[in-house]
Amino acid sequence: QHLIKKGYKSFAFLGDIEPPERFAIPPIKSRLTGFKQALQDAGFSLPKTYIRSAPYTALETRQAALALLSLPKPPRAIFAASDMQALSVMKVARQMGVKIPDDLALVGFDDIDVAEHVDLTTVRQHLDESGRLAAEILLSRIGESDRPLQHINLPLRMIERLTT
């Protein structure tokens, strides 16, 4: 929604949407689903060529970013599923002479400490709070094994900086 409100019309998504099976919760797929839904609600689409799956390694993320930015019609806005991946996109864009946000808008996810230092627009999730709650739930399940499972959604917040 943030990118749409800023007037962007061509979008891409970059993230690890195919994580190893051992992960029970696929948060990146949820981010992609939400991104696609917001675009669809506003009358936009996200073509498959603008969706790139890349593990969290810097090399593979840079390769995915290079592929997106080398398309005949590159996207004008990229939503990276993590701030670390957004940093790799920033590096590739800089190496290609793509100016952020003039030529490309970029949004990350997490709001890690370095995001503020590089002025990355990002979605803030409260990692400390989610860790604390996870520990509380685990400890309570250890004490009461028949306790029902809990699903808690913590609020997210868009932190607008200079990449959009």
Side-chain angles (χ1 to χ4, degrees), residues 54-80:
Y56 285 104
T57 68
L59 175 64
E60 289 174 288
T61 299
R62 286 195 307 266
Q63 290 170 340
L66 180 61
L68 282 171
L69 296 177
S70 297
L71 288 169
K73 289 186 177 180
R76 286 275 297 118
I78 295 177
F79 174 33

Side-chain angles (χ1 to χ4, degrees), residues 47-160:
K48 287 184 180 185
T49 55
Y50 290 83
I51 300 171
R52 297 296 163 126
S53 183
Y56 285 104
T57 68
L59 175 64
E60 289 174 288
T61 299
R62 286 195 307 266
Q63 290 170 340
L66 180 61
L68 282 171
L69 296 177
S70 297
L71 288 169
K73 289 186 177 180
R76 286 275 297 118
I78 295 177
F79 174 33
S82 75
D83 287 348
M84 290 305 294
Q85 288 182 307
L87 294 173
S88 290
V89 173
M90 290 176 84
K91 181 174 185 166
V92 170
R94 185 176 58 247
Q95 290 170 341
M96 295 178 70
V98 175
K99 292 181 177 60
I100 298 175
D102 299 338
D103 303 324
L104 175 71
L106 181 61
V107 174
F109 196 101
D110 290 325
D111 197 25
I112 61 174
D113 291 341
V114 74
E116 183 178 1
H117 297 289
V118 298
D119 289 319
L120 175 65
T121 297
T122 186
V123 177
R124 177 179 289 163
Q125 66 172 332
H126 295 281
L127 295 172
D128 293 342
E129 180 66 7
S130 66
R132 185 188 66 73
L133 285 170
E136 278 182 17
I137 291 169
L138 176 63
L139 291 172
S140 67
R141 290 274 297 169
I142 289 170
E144 298 175 51
S145 61
D146 59 341
R147 185 181 177 119
L149 292 176
Q150 287 181 272
H151 295 279
I152 300 172
N153 291 318
L154 295 175
L156 301 173
R157 195 171 116 218
M158 177 63 66
I159 306 298
E160 185 175 0

Side-chain angles (χ1 to χ4, degrees), residues 5-56:
K5 287 177 188 171
K6 298 288 276 186
Y8 295 99
K9 296 180 178 9
S10 172
F11 309 91
F13 180 90
L14 189 153
D16 190 3
I17 54 177
E18 298 168 6
E21 300 254 345
R22 67 183 178 269
F23 297 121
I25 303 171
I28 306 309
K29 282 188 178 181
S30 296
R31 292 173 198 170
L32 173 58
T33 299
F35 186 52
K36 287 167 86 173
Q37 186 63 55
L39 293 176
Q40 184 178 349
D41 291 349
F44 295 101
S45 64
L46 186 62
K48 287 184 180 185
T49 55
Y50 290 83
I51 300 171
R52 297 296 163 126
S53 183
Y56 285 104

